[in-house]
């Protein structure tokens, strides 16, 4: 039997929870504190070597974005470390399902949609107060925990106001949920674009 991979002599990888265009998320065991955690790593598959430095920078940007926001609807970040040149984000593990999965499993009643929507809106308000724009609000990035808690996740393409370290265009994210200004070259993109995406998300729900 293959021994589990252990990072930093502390985090033992258990299973892969999901894979996206920007990163993979793993369930891991924190051997020091004896608790489950979620680890997000950079996805290298399909990335040109010339694009790797910017992808790594995006992981640091995501970690900084999470660290700026303290709200019950935002998953707490515990740590950030580099292994073999690639950054890993350590977050609280949330046992639950995405809103996208819940919708696909059957119709969501209106009362539940309102409850989930209000939680996300409050979290998004805290994000904007911290001068962060999420830029990828959609059902797949809303997590509903088994205890009913709701979280806005995946800050992989978030932007912090005034940070010019990344040169990426507005046209990054998920087309179906993009506000019109996201599709306009050179347009200023701020919190209203996230609110638009949230509205589309719950119209879809």
């Amino acid at each position: 039997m293959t021994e589990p991979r252990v990072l930093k002599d502390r985090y033992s990888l258990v299973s892969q929870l999901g894979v996206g265009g920007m990163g993979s998320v793993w369930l891991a065991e924190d051997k020091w504190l004896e608790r489950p955690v979620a680890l997000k790593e950079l996805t290298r598959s399909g990335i040109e070597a010339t694009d790797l430095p910017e992808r790594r920078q995006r992981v640091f940007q995501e970690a900084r974005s999470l660290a700026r926001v303290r709200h019950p609807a935002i998953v707490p970040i515990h740590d950030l470390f580099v292994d073999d040149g690639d950054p890993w984000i350590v977050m609280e593990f949330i046992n639950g399902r995405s809103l996208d999965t819940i919708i696909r499993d059957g119709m969501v009643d209106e009362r539940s949609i309102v409850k989930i929507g209000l939680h996300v809106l409050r979290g998004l308000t805290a994000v904007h107060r911290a001068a962060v724009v999420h830029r990828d609000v959609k059902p797949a990035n809303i997590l509903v925990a088994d205890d009913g808690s709701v979280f806005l996740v995946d800050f992989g393409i978030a932007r912090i106001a005034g940070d010019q370290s990344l040169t990426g265009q507005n046209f990054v994210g998920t087309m179906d949920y993009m506000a019109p200004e996201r599709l306009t070259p050179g347009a200023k993109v701020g919190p209203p674009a996230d609110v638009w995406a949230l509205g589309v998300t719950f119209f879809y729900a």
Side-chain angles (χ1 to χ4, degrees):
M1 184 174 179
T2 305
E3 288 293 320
R5 181 181 177 186
V6 179
L7 300 165
K8 305 298 288 183
D9 294 322
R10 177 175 181 176
Y11 303 109
S12 177
L13 299 185
V14 177
S15 61
Q16 195 172 61
L17 298 174
V19 181
M22 301 296 294
S24 302
V25 179
W26 292 81
L27 169 62
E29 180 70 22
D30 183 339
K31 297 167 63 178
W32 292 1
L33 299 181
E34 298 182 346
R35 65 178 180 181
V37 291
L39 263 61
K40 185 171 183 178
E41 67 168 329
L42 171 69
T43 297
R44 282 197 177 206
S45 178
I47 300 177
E48 298 290 340
T50 54
D51 295 333
L52 189 56
E54 182 169 337
R55 287 296 187 96
R56 285 171 170 163
Q57 185 61 34
R58 286 195 180 279
V59 178
F60 282 100
Q61 178 91 319
E62 178 175 6
R64 287 194 295 268
S65 298
L66 285 169
R68 290 171 72 104
V69 185
R70 295 178 61 86
H71 190 274
I74 306 300
V75 179
I77 180 173
H78 295 322
D79 196 8
L80 173 68
F81 65 86
V82 176
D83 183 78
D84 194 25
D86 289 337
W88 290 69
I89 300 175
V90 184
M91 300 171 287
E92 182 175 320
F93 169 64
I94 306 298
N95 195 12
R97 298 188 299 162
S98 72
L99 178 59
D100 185 58
T101 299
I102 293 171
I103 293 170
R104 292 177 185 276
D105 285 349
M107 294 296 293
V108 186
D109 65 89
E110 292 181 358
R111 185 177 295 274
S112 296
I113 291 174
V114 170
K115 181 179 178 181
I116 294 170
L118 286 173
H119 280 294
V120 178
L121 182 59
R122 290 169 186 144
L124 199 54
T125 299
V127 169
H128 295 157
R129 284 175 178 165
V132 175
V133 180
H134 187 279
R135 301 204 304 167
D136 202 18
V137 177
K138 59 183 179 181
N141 286 340
I142 295 170
L143 187 65
V144 181
D146 291 345
D147 65 1
S149 302
V150 180
F151 299 88
L152 177 63
V153 301
D154 198 346
F155 283 68
I157 62 171
R159 295 296 294 269
I160 299 174
D163 191 333
Q164 303 299 321
S165 60
L166 293 173
T167 59
Q169 302 296 316
N170 287 336
F171 191 71
V172 59
T174 307
M175 173 78 75
D176 292 349
Y177 301 91
M178 284 187 183
E181 62 268 30
R182 291 286 307 281
L183 306 176
T184 304
K188 183 177 180 181
V189 174
D194 282 345
V195 177
W196 170 286
L198 182 63
V200 177
T201 291
F202 286 96
F203 177 80
Y204 172 69

